[in-house]
Amino acid sequence: MAAFPHSPNQTFRRLRDRNSPAEFAAMVRRAAKEIGETVSCDARYIGRVESGEIRCPNYAYERVFLHMFPGRTLADLGFSPREAVRGRSAQRSAPFTLKESDVLRRAFMAGGSATVAAATLGFTLLGDTRQLPSRAGESEAAAVEEAVRQIRLLDDRHGADALYRKAAEPLRTAYALLDAGASRQSTEDRLHAGAGELAISVGWLAHDSGRFDDARSHYAEALATARVAGDAGLEAHAFSNMAFLARDCGRPRESVRAAQAGRRAARSLGSPRLLSLLALREAGGWAGLADRKACEEALTRAHTEFSRGTAAADPEWMSFFGEAELESLESRCWATLGEHARAARHARRAADLQDPHFARNVALYTAELADDLARAGAPDEAAWAGGRVLDLLTEVQSTRVRSMLSGTARALVPHQRSPRVDAFLTRHAAV
């Protein structure tokens, strides 16, 4: 079937002004939160709007955009009338972003087990390999890409523990689609990229929920997919996560080598922020090897690349990587080297800078701060930060955060005569 032609939305592009697509996507998510909406906006979505692929946003995005630009209509923002894009073509260009996104929003508001139900609904179109087409088309490729976005959105808000098992189903379907083949090469390229990113996302859910062997398998699958497809961006992403996992598994030399391999893959992509993240992954490995000089050199490279700013070539999955994440990863380096007071300064800055949309990361950075303070000889401050993490764990489900907080609690036991420490330890034990 021939692709439907579309014209770029120059009006919307002008509204973005000098912000990068990733920065503007973050602005959209913040605006959504202001009015109680939940949208999984990222750089690729902004690109699809600006290219004209999305001729009219769904109702959730419409409310957010009109909130961001009061007094304007959708036509003022460069969109087509909704009735002009109804029908088969509109449905194919934006799979399960209308009814399901509204269900997701209501389920988030309900909380608890509704989160798992929402995840199941969000993955419906990729959940049954018995209903696959004989050849994958654009709608199937778009469904894989949307599954990645939904996983990232749910993980940012709620952590990995409740999502991992559910996310494995769409991953199996994505690779079944690859085996079935696609109707055209461009679709097959999208399927390879989408399946690889989905493998990394599911691997991350395994990683964050303490299933390290599963995570390693998923990351390796993503790396193999990247090399089959000749996709340097996907390869760099896989190596970045493999470096992170190796660090958490106590294999620092492997972490260094994976980060360096990722840097080689990313060298030609034109994304300083990606090179910055890979330098931070390498620094973490060097810290694990107690090589302070190499660690500091890698941190310097990370800051230099980060200072170059965002770029159009920044991958959409890097929407989480801002100054807060940079501070957090540097904090982990100093903590590994035993400089906990210095680590606490960076962890505090990370927690202060983090966009509340990334609830899991707010909990993580605050847990890092609590642990650093406990080991730096500031037990009362550590107990306060630990109490804040316990508050956040009512919303976030992350084995990694809970494990870190348990370590902090053990470090604070010698200080339990302090009323604040005793209160934290009592509350932690009850949880």
Side-chain angles (χ1 to χ4, degrees):
M1 181 179 295
F4 288 87
H6 46 260
S7 301
N9 187 338
Q10 299 290 357
T11 302
F12 197 88
R13 172 63 188 87
R14 286 192 291 271
L15 291 171
R16 177 159 65 85
D17 196 25
R18 296 184 178 182
N19 296 293
S20 72
E23 290 170 333
F24 192 74
M27 293 168 61
V28 172
R29 294 194 302 269
R30 285 194 292 270
K33 185 175 181 180
E34 291 171 4
I35 60 173
E37 282 291 353
T38 300
V39 295
S40 53
C41 190
D42 54 26
R44 182 172 291 187
Y45 180 87
I46 299 301
R48 292 173 65 204
V49 171
E50 293 179 359
S51 72
E53 180 184 347
I54 295 177
R55 296 163 58 201
C56 185
N58 69 39
Y59 291 105
Y61 276 104
E62 176 182 349
R63 288 188 286 271
V64 176
F65 291 150
L66 296 183
H67 171 67
M68 293 176 69
F69 304 104
R72 304 195 194 196
T73 65
L74 284 181
D76 295 332
L77 303 181
F79 292 109
S80 301
R82 191 171 302 283
E83 58 272 15
V85 297
R86 285 178 177 165
R88 182 175 176 84
S89 63
Q91 292 169 1
R92 288 175 67 85
S93 67
F96 62 88
T97 57
L98 297 176
K99 180 180 177 181
E100 283 89 348
S101 67
D102 195 46
V103 173
L104 280 168
R105 180 175 62 83
R106 293 197 299 271
F108 279 138
M109 293 172 68
S113 61
T115 301
V116 180
T120 305
L121 286 167
F123 304 148
T124 297
L125 293 187
L126 287 176
D128 189 351
T129 56
R130 295 172 298 181
Q131 299 177 10
L132 293 179
S134 58
R135 302 283 283 178
E138 292 296 307
S139 59
E140 285 75 31
V144 173
E145 293 163 352
E146 186 65 17
V148 175
R149 295 189 184 100
Q150 292 293 348
I151 288 173
R152 289 172 182 164
L153 171 65
L154 291 163
D155 177 48
D156 287 340
R157 297 295 301 275
H158 299 281
D161 288 8
L163 300 176
Y164 174 59
R165 295 300 181 192
K166 297 295 182 183
E169 285 299 322
L171 179 61
R172 282 191 286 271
T173 305
Y175 276 95
L177 287 168
L178 270 181
D179 287 341
S183 54
R184 61 183 66 178
Q185 185 60 48
S186 61
T187 304
E188 186 150 337
D189 291 342
R190 285 179 66 186
L191 277 174
H192 270 98
E197 289 293 344
L198 194 54
I200 292 174
S201 293
V202 176
W204 165 248
L205 296 179
H207 183 169
D208 193 48
S209 56
R211 301 174 173 93
F212 290 166
D213 288 342
D214 287 357
R216 188 179 182 88
S217 175
H218 289 308
Y219 292 160
E221 187 171 37
L223 180 60
T225 302
R227 288 182 163 169
V228 166
D231 188 332
L234 179 59
E235 183 174 342
H237 190 184
F239 274 127
S240 173
N241 278 50
M242 291 171 82
F244 192 9
L245 177 65
R247 187 205 72 172
D248 284 356
C249 291
R251 296 193 294 267
R253 195 168 299 282
E254 180 183 324
S255 181
V256 169
R257 290 172 64 85
Q260 291 173 340
R263 184 174 65 189
R264 288 192 294 273
R267 195 169 289 154
S268 63
L269 298 177
S271 173
R273 287 290 167 92
L274 177 54
L275 292 173
S276 176
L277 176 60
L278 289 162
L280 286 162
R281 299 287 192 227
E282 183 180 341
W286 288 124
L289 291 168
D291 191 331
R292 182 189 178 98
K293 183 175 183 295
C295 178
E296 289 180 335
E297 289 174 351
L299 287 174
T300 298
R301 276 192 281 112
H303 282 276
T304 299
E305 295 292 353
F306 190 89
S307 69
R308 300 185 196 281
T310 58
D314 291 342
E316 65 171 288
W317 58 266
M318 288 192 68
S319 58
F320 77 96
F321 184 62
E323 192 174 357
E325 182 70 8
L326 183 148
E327 292 286 345
S328 170
L329 292 175
E330 180 165 358
S331 167
R332 294 304 85 210
C333 290
W334 295 120
T336 303
L337 290 169
E339 296 193 26
H340 293 287
R342 188 171 184 176
R345 290 196 294 272
H346 289 282
R348 189 188 303 277
R349 183 163 172 76
D352 289 344
L353 287 169
Q354 183 57 60
D355 184 336
H357 167 81
F358 296 96
R360 193 272 322 286
N361 280 0
V362 174
L364 173 64
Y365 301 160
T366 309
E368 290 171 348
L369 173 62
D371 197 62
D372 291 331
L373 289 169
R375 298 172 197 284
D380 283 354
E381 288 185 76
W384 173 86
R388 174 64 180 139
V389 177
L390 289 174
D391 294 338
L392 292 165
L393 287 178
T394 61
E395 178 182 359
V396 173
Q397 299 180 47
S398 170
T399 296
R400 188 158 62 113
V401 173
R402 290 200 306 272
S403 297
M404 187 174 295
L405 196 61
S406 294
T408 301
R410 289 192 294 272
L412 288 176
V413 168
H415 307 280
Q416 58 189 329
R417 291 183 180 179
S418 161
R420 180 173 290 181
V421 172
D422 183 61
F424 164 70
L425 291 175
T426 300
R427 187 180 171 197
H428 179 265
V431 171

Short mmCIF file of all heavy atoms in Angstrom, two decimals, residues 356-408:
data_model
loop_
_atom_site.label_atom_id
_atom_site.label_comp_id
_atom_site.label_asym_id
_atom_site.label_seq_id
_atom_site.Cartn_x
_atom_site.Cartn_y
_atom_site.Cartn_z
N PRO A 356 10.17 15.99 38.55
CA PRO A 356 9.32 15.06 39.30
C PRO A 356 8.63 14.02 38.42
O PRO A 356 8.19 12.99 38.93
CB PRO A 356 8.29 15.99 39.95
CG PRO A 356 8.95 17.33 40.01
CD PRO A 356 9.82 17.40 38.79
N HIS A 357 8.54 14.26 37.10
CA HIS A 357 7.95 13.27 36.20
C HIS A 357 8.67 11.93 36.32
O HIS A 357 8.04 10.87 36.24
CB HIS A 357 8.03 13.76 34.75
CG HIS A 357 7.75 12.72 33.73
ND1 HIS A 357 6.48 12.34 33.36
CD2 HIS A 357 8.58 11.93 32.99
CE1 HIS A 357 6.54 11.39 32.45
NE2 HIS A 357 7.80 11.12 32.20
N PHE A 358 9.99 11.97 36.53
CA PHE A 358 10.78 10.75 36.65
C PHE A 358 10.79 10.30 38.11
O PHE A 358 11.81 10.39 38.80
CB PHE A 358 12.19 10.98 36.14
CG PHE A 358 12.26 11.31 34.67
CD1 PHE A 358 12.32 12.62 34.23
CD2 PHE A 358 12.24 10.32 33.71
CE1 PHE A 358 12.37 12.94 32.88
CE2 PHE A 358 12.30 10.61 32.36
CZ PHE A 358 12.36 11.92 31.95
N ALA A 359 9.63 9.84 38.60
CA ALA A 359 9.49 9.53 40.02
C ALA A 359 10.49 8.47 40.47
O ALA A 359 11.01 8.53 41.58
CB ALA A 359 8.06 9.07 40.31
N ARG A 360 10.73 7.46 39.61
CA ARG A 360 11.68 6.41 39.97
C ARG A 360 13.06 7.00 40.21
O ARG A 360 13.76 6.63 41.16
CB ARG A 360 11.71 5.36 38.87
CG ARG A 360 12.40 4.04 39.21
CD ARG A 360 13.90 4.03 38.94
NE ARG A 360 14.28 4.74 37.74
CZ ARG A 360 14.10 4.31 36.50
NH1 ARG A 360 13.50 3.18 36.27
NH2 ARG A 360 14.51 5.04 35.48
N ASN A 361 13.48 7.94 39.33
CA ASN A 361 14.81 8.53 39.49
C ASN A 361 14.89 9.43 40.72
O ASN A 361 15.94 9.51 41.36
CB ASN A 361 15.20 9.30 38.24
CG ASN A 361 15.72 8.39 37.14
OD1 ASN A 361 15.78 7.18 37.32
ND2 ASN A 361 16.09 8.96 36.01
N VAL A 362 13.81 10.13 41.04
CA VAL A 362 13.82 10.94 42.27
C VAL A 362 14.06 10.02 43.47
O VAL A 362 14.86 10.34 44.35
CB VAL A 362 12.49 11.70 42.43
CG1 VAL A 362 12.45 12.42 43.77
CG2 VAL A 362 12.30 12.72 41.30
N ALA A 363 13.37 8.88 43.50
CA ALA A 363 13.57 7.93 44.60
C ALA A 363 15.00 7.41 44.61
O ALA A 363 15.63 7.29 45.67
CB ALA A 363 12.58 6.78 44.47
N LEU A 364 15.53 7.10 43.43
CA LEU A 364 16.89 6.56 43.34
C LEU A 364 17.92 7.57 43.84
O LEU A 364 18.79 7.24 44.66
CB LEU A 364 17.20 6.17 41.90
CG LEU A 364 18.64 5.74 41.61
CD1 LEU A 364 18.99 4.48 42.37
CD2 LEU A 364 18.86 5.56 40.11
N TYR A 365 17.84 8.80 43.35
CA TYR A 365 18.82 9.81 43.73
C TYR A 365 18.75 10.10 45.23
O TYR A 365 19.78 10.32 45.89
CB TYR A 365 18.60 11.10 42.96
CG TYR A 365 18.68 10.97 41.45
CD1 TYR A 365 18.10 11.92 40.61
CD2 TYR A 365 19.32 9.88 40.84
CE1 TYR A 365 18.17 11.81 39.23
CE2 TYR A 365 19.39 9.76 39.47
CZ TYR A 365 18.82 10.73 38.67
OH TYR A 365 18.87 10.62 37.31
N THR A 366 17.54 10.11 45.78
CA THR A 366 17.38 10.37 47.22
C THR A 366 17.93 9.20 48.03
O THR A 366 18.52 9.39 49.10
CB THR A 366 15.91 10.64 47.55
OG1 THR A 366 15.38 11.64 46.67
CG2 THR A 366 15.76 11.13 48.98
N ALA A 367 17.75 7.99 47.52
CA ALA A 367 18.33 6.81 48.19
C ALA A 367 19.85 6.88 48.16
O ALA A 367 20.53 6.53 49.14
CB ALA A 367 17.83 5.53 47.54
N GLU A 368 20.41 7.30 47.04
CA GLU A 368 21.86 7.47 46.95
C GLU A 368 22.34 8.51 47.96
O GLU A 368 23.37 8.31 48.64
CB GLU A 368 22.24 7.90 45.53
CG GLU A 368 22.04 6.80 44.49
CD GLU A 368 22.23 7.30 43.06
OE1 GLU A 368 22.28 8.53 42.84
OE2 GLU A 368 22.32 6.45 42.16
N LEU A 369 21.58 9.61 48.07
CA LEU A 369 21.95 10.65 49.03
C LEU A 369 21.93 10.09 50.45
O LEU A 369 22.86 10.33 51.24
CB LEU A 369 20.98 11.82 48.90
CG LEU A 369 21.10 12.92 49.95
CD1 LEU A 369 22.48 13.58 49.89
CD2 LEU A 369 20.00 13.97 49.77
N ALA A 370 20.87 9.36 50.80
CA ALA A 370 20.77 8.79 52.15
C ALA A 370 21.96 7.89 52.45
O ALA A 370 22.55 7.95 53.54
CB ALA A 370 19.46 8.02 52.28
N ASP A 371 22.32 7.04 51.50
CA ASP A 371 23.43 6.11 51.73
C ASP A 371 24.76 6.86 51.88
O ASP A 371 25.57 6.53 52.77
CB ASP A 371 23.51 5.13 50.56
CG ASP A 371 24.34 3.91 50.90
OD1 ASP A 371 23.97 3.18 51.84
OD2 ASP A 371 25.38 3.70 50.25
N ASP A 372 24.97 7.86 51.03
CA ASP A 372 26.22 8.63 51.13
C ASP A 372 26.31 9.37 52.45
O ASP A 372 27.38 9.41 53.09
CB ASP A 372 26.30 9.63 49.97
CG ASP A 372 26.50 8.95 48.62
OD1 ASP A 372 27.11 7.87 48.59
OD2 ASP A 372 26.04 9.51 47.61
N LEU A 373 25.20 9.96 52.89
CA LEU A 373 25.20 10.69 54.16
C LEU A 373 25.46 9.75 55.34
O LEU A 373 26.20 10.09 56.27
CB LEU A 373 23.86 11.41 54.35
CG LEU A 373 23.62 12.62 53.44
CD1 LEU A 373 22.16 13.06 53.53
CD2 LEU A 373 24.54 13.78 53.81
N ALA A 374 24.87 8.56 55.27
CA ALA A 374 25.08 7.59 56.36
C ALA A 374 26.54 7.22 56.48
O ALA A 374 27.09 7.09 57.58
CB ALA A 374 24.23 6.35 56.12
N ARG A 375 27.22 7.07 55.35
CA ARG A 375 28.61 6.64 55.36
C ARG A 375 29.58 7.81 55.49
O ARG A 375 30.77 7.60 55.70
CB ARG A 375 28.90 5.83 54.09
CG ARG A 375 28.04 4.57 54.03
CD ARG A 375 28.12 3.82 52.72
NE ARG A 375 27.02 2.88 52.58
CZ ARG A 375 26.91 1.72 53.21
NH1 ARG A 375 27.87 1.33 54.04
NH2 ARG A 375 25.86 0.94 53.03
N ALA A 376 29.04 9.03 55.37
CA ALA A 376 29.88 10.22 55.53
C ALA A 376 29.81 10.78 56.95
O ALA A 376 30.40 11.82 57.23
CB ALA A 376 29.45 11.30 54.53
N GLY A 377 29.08 10.09 57.84
CA GLY A 377 29.01 10.53 59.23
C GLY A 377 27.94 11.56 59.51
O GLY A 377 28.07 12.38 60.42
N ALA A 378 26.84 11.53 58.75
CA ALA A 378 25.73 12.46 58.98
C ALA A 378 24.45 11.64 59.15
O ALA A 378 23.56 11.68 58.29
CB ALA A 378 25.61 13.44 57.82
N PRO A 379 24.33 10.89 60.25
CA PRO A 379 23.21 9.94 60.39
C PRO A 379 21.83 10.58 60.41
O PRO A 379 20.89 10.02 59.86
CB PRO A 379 23.53 9.21 61.70
CG PRO A 379 24.44 10.13 62.45
CD PRO A 379 25.24 10.84 61.41
N ASP A 380 21.69 11.74 61.07
CA ASP A 380 20.37 12.37 61.12
C ASP A 380 19.90 12.81 59.74
O ASP A 380 18.73 12.62 59.37
CB ASP A 380 20.39 13.56 62.08
CG ASP A 380 20.34 13.13 63.54
OD1 ASP A 380 20.19 11.92 63.79
OD2 ASP A 380 20.46 14.00 64.42
N GLU A 381 20.80 13.39 58.97
CA GLU A 381 20.45 13.79 57.60
C GLU A 381 20.13 12.56 56.76
O GLU A 381 19.21 12.57 55.94
CB GLU A 381 21.59 14.57 56.96
CG GLU A 381 21.79 15.97 57.49
CD GLU A 381 22.86 16.69 56.69
OE1 GLU A 381 22.57 17.13 55.56
OE2 GLU A 381 23.99 16.80 57.21
N ALA A 382 20.90 11.49 56.96
CA ALA A 382 20.65 10.26 56.22
C ALA A 382 19.27 9.70 56.55
O ALA A 382 18.55 9.23 55.67
CB ALA A 382 21.73 9.23 56.54
N ALA A 383 18.89 9.77 57.83
CA ALA A 383 17.58 9.27 58.24
C ALA A 383 16.46 10.10 57.61
O ALA A 383 15.43 9.55 57.18
CB ALA A 383 17.47 9.29 59.76
N TRP A 384 16.66 11.41 57.52
CA TRP A 384 15.65 12.26 56.88
C TRP A 384 15.49 11.87 55.40
O TRP A 384 14.38 11.70 54.90
CB TRP A 384 16.06 13.73 56.96
CG TRP A 384 15.13 14.60 56.16
CD1 TRP A 384 13.96 15.14 56.56
CD2 TRP A 384 15.31 14.97 54.79
NE1 TRP A 384 13.37 15.82 55.52
CE2 TRP A 384 14.17 15.75 54.43
CE3 TRP A 384 16.29 14.75 53.83
CZ2 TRP A 384 14.00 16.28 53.14
CZ3 TRP A 384 16.13 15.26 52.56
CH2 TRP A 384 15.00 16.02 52.23
N ALA A 385 16.62 11.72 54.70
CA ALA A 385 16.56 11.36 53.28
C ALA A 385 15.94 9.97 53.12
O ALA A 385 15.14 9.74 52.20
CB ALA A 385 17.96 11.40 52.67
N GLY A 386 16.29 9.04 54.02
CA GLY A 386 15.71 7.71 53.95
C GLY A 386 14.20 7.73 54.13
O GLY A 386 13.47 6.99 53.46
N GLY A 387 13.73 8.59 55.02
CA GLY A 387 12.28 8.73 55.20
C GLY A 387 11.60 9.25 53.95
O GLY A 387 10.49 8.83 53.60
N ARG A 388 12.28 10.15 53.25
CA ARG A 388 11.74 10.66 51.99
C ARG A 388 11.63 9.54 50.95
O ARG A 388 10.64 9.47 50.20
CB ARG A 388 12.64 11.79 51.47
CG ARG A 388 12.28 12.33 50.10
CD ARG A 388 10.94 12.97 50.08
NE ARG A 388 10.62 13.48 48.74
CZ ARG A 388 9.42 13.38 48.18
NH1 ARG A 388 8.43 12.79 48.83
NH2 ARG A 388 9.21 13.86 46.97
N VAL A 389 12.61 8.66 50.92
CA VAL A 389 12.55 7.53 49.98
C VAL A 389 11.37 6.62 50.32
O VAL A 389 10.65 6.16 49.42
CB VAL A 389 13.86 6.73 50.00
CG1 VAL A 389 13.76 5.52 49.08
CG2 VAL A 389 15.03 7.60 49.59
N LEU A 390 11.15 6.37 51.60
CA LEU A 390 10.01 5.54 52.00
C LEU A 390 8.70 6.15 51.53
O LEU A 390 7.77 5.44 51.11
CB LEU A 390 10.00 5.34 53.52
CG LEU A 390 11.10 4.45 54.08
CD1 LEU A 390 11.07 4.46 55.61
CD2 LEU A 390 10.96 3.01 53.56
N ASP A 391 8.61 7.48 51.58
CA ASP A 391 7.41 8.15 51.04
C ASP A 391 7.24 7.85 49.55
O ASP A 391 6.14 7.55 49.08
CB ASP A 391 7.52 9.67 51.24
CG ASP A 391 7.49 10.08 52.69
OD1 ASP A 391 6.99 9.31 53.53
OD2 ASP A 391 7.96 11.20 52.99
N LEU A 392 8.34 7.92 48.82
CA LEU A 392 8.29 7.72 47.37
C LEU A 392 8.00 6.27 47.00
O LEU A 392 7.43 6.00 45.94
CB LEU A 392 9.62 8.16 46.75
CG LEU A 392 9.89 9.67 46.79
CD1 LEU A 392 11.35 9.96 46.48
CD2 LEU A 392 8.99 10.42 45.82
N LEU A 393 8.38 5.33 47.86
CA LEU A 393 8.17 3.91 47.54
C LEU A 393 6.71 3.50 47.60
O LEU A 393 6.37 2.37 47.22
CB LEU A 393 9.01 3.04 48.47
CG LEU A 393 10.51 3.04 48.20
CD1 LEU A 393 11.25 2.18 49.21
CD2 LEU A 393 10.81 2.55 46.78
N THR A 394 5.83 4.40 48.03
CA THR A 394 4.40 4.11 47.92
C THR A 394 3.96 4.18 46.46
O THR A 394 2.93 3.61 46.08
CB THR A 394 3.57 5.10 48.75
OG1 THR A 394 3.80 6.44 48.27
CG2 THR A 394 3.97 5.04 50.21
N GLU A 395 4.73 4.88 45.63
CA GLU A 395 4.41 5.03 44.21
C GLU A 395 5.35 4.23 43.32
O GLU A 395 4.97 3.77 42.25
CB GLU A 395 4.49 6.51 43.83
CG GLU A 395 4.22 6.81 42.36
CD GLU A 395 4.37 8.29 42.04
OE1 GLU A 395 4.66 9.07 42.96
OE2 GLU A 395 4.21 8.64 40.85
N VAL A 396 6.61 4.08 43.76
CA VAL A 396 7.65 3.47 42.93
C VAL A 396 7.94 2.06 43.41
O VAL A 396 8.08 1.82 44.61
CB VAL A 396 8.94 4.32 43.00
CG1 VAL A 396 10.08 3.63 42.29
CG2 VAL A 396 8.69 5.70 42.40
N GLN A 397 8.05 1.12 42.47
CA GLN A 397 8.40 -0.26 42.79
C GLN A 397 9.73 -0.59 42.13
O GLN A 397 9.77 -0.86 40.93
CB GLN A 397 7.31 -1.21 42.31
CG GLN A 397 5.96 -0.95 42.95
CD GLN A 397 4.90 -1.90 42.44
OE1 GLN A 397 5.13 -3.12 42.37
NE2 GLN A 397 3.74 -1.40 42.10
N SER A 398 10.81 -0.53 42.90
CA SER A 398 12.14 -0.77 42.36
C SER A 398 12.97 -1.55 43.36
O SER A 398 13.26 -1.04 44.45
CB SER A 398 12.83 0.56 42.03
OG SER A 398 14.19 0.36 41.73
N THR A 399 13.33 -2.76 42.98
CA THR A 399 14.18 -3.57 43.85
C THR A 399 15.50 -2.88 44.12
O THR A 399 16.04 -2.96 45.23
CB THR A 399 14.41 -4.95 43.20
OG1 THR A 399 13.17 -5.63 43.09
CG2 THR A 399 15.39 -5.79 44.02
N ARG A 400 16.04 -2.21 43.10
CA ARG A 400 17.33 -1.55 43.26
C ARG A 400 17.26 -0.47 44.35
O ARG A 400 18.15 -0.36 45.20
CB ARG A 400 17.76 -0.92 41.93
CG ARG A 400 19.18 -0.37 41.93
CD ARG A 400 19.72 -0.27 40.53
NE ARG A 400 18.95 0.63 39.70
CZ ARG A 400 19.42 1.79 39.22
NH1 ARG A 400 20.64 2.17 39.53
NH2 ARG A 400 18.69 2.54 38.45
N VAL A 401 16.20 0.33 44.33
CA VAL A 401 16.06 1.39 45.34
C VAL A 401 15.86 0.77 46.72
O VAL A 401 16.47 1.21 47.71
CB VAL A 401 14.89 2.32 44.98
CG1 VAL A 401 14.62 3.31 46.11
CG2 VAL A 401 15.20 3.09 43.69
N ARG A 402 15.02 -0.25 46.82
CA ARG A 402 14.78 -0.88 48.12
C ARG A 402 16.06 -1.51 48.67
O ARG A 402 16.34 -1.43 49.88
CB ARG A 402 13.67 -1.94 48.01
CG ARG A 402 12.29 -1.36 47.76
CD ARG A 402 11.20 -2.37 48.15
NE ARG A 402 11.39 -3.64 47.48
CZ ARG A 402 10.90 -3.93 46.28
NH1 ARG A 402 10.20 -3.03 45.63
NH2 ARG A 402 11.09 -5.12 45.75
N SER A 403 16.84 -2.13 47.81
CA SER A 403 18.10 -2.75 48.27
C SER A 403 19.07 -1.69 48.78
O SER A 403 19.74 -1.88 49.80
CB SER A 403 18.74 -3.53 47.12
OG SER A 403 17.92 -4.60 46.72
N MET A 404 19.14 -0.58 48.06
CA MET A 404 20.03 0.50 48.49
C MET A 404 19.58 1.05 49.86
O MET A 404 20.40 1.31 50.75
CB MET A 404 20.01 1.62 47.45
CG MET A 404 21.01 2.73 47.71
SD MET A 404 21.04 3.91 46.35
CE MET A 404 21.68 2.87 45.03
N LEU A 405 18.27 1.19 50.05
CA LEU A 405 17.76 1.72 51.31
C LEU A 405 18.01 0.74 52.45
O LEU A 405 18.28 1.16 53.59
CB LEU A 405 16.26 2.02 51.18
CG LEU A 405 15.67 2.92 52.26
CD1 LEU A 405 16.34 4.29 52.25
CD2 LEU A 405 14.17 3.08 52.05
N SER A 406 17.96 -0.56 52.16
CA SER A 406 18.26 -1.54 53.20
C SER A 406 19.72 -1.43 53.64
O SER A 406 20.04 -1.57 54.83
CB SER A 406 17.98 -2.96 52.67
OG SER A 406 16.61 -3.13 52.43
N GLY A 407 20.61 -1.19 52.70
CA GLY A 407 22.02 -0.98 53.06
C GLY A 407 22.20 0.25 53.92
O GLY A 407 23.01 0.25 54.87
N THR A 408 21.46 1.31 53.62
CA THR A 408 21.52 2.52 54.44
C THR A 408 21.04 2.23 55.86
O THR A 408 21.64 2.69 56.84
CB THR A 408 20.66 3.62 53.81
OG1 THR A 408 21.13 3.89 52.49
CG2 THR A 408 20.70 4.89 54.64
#
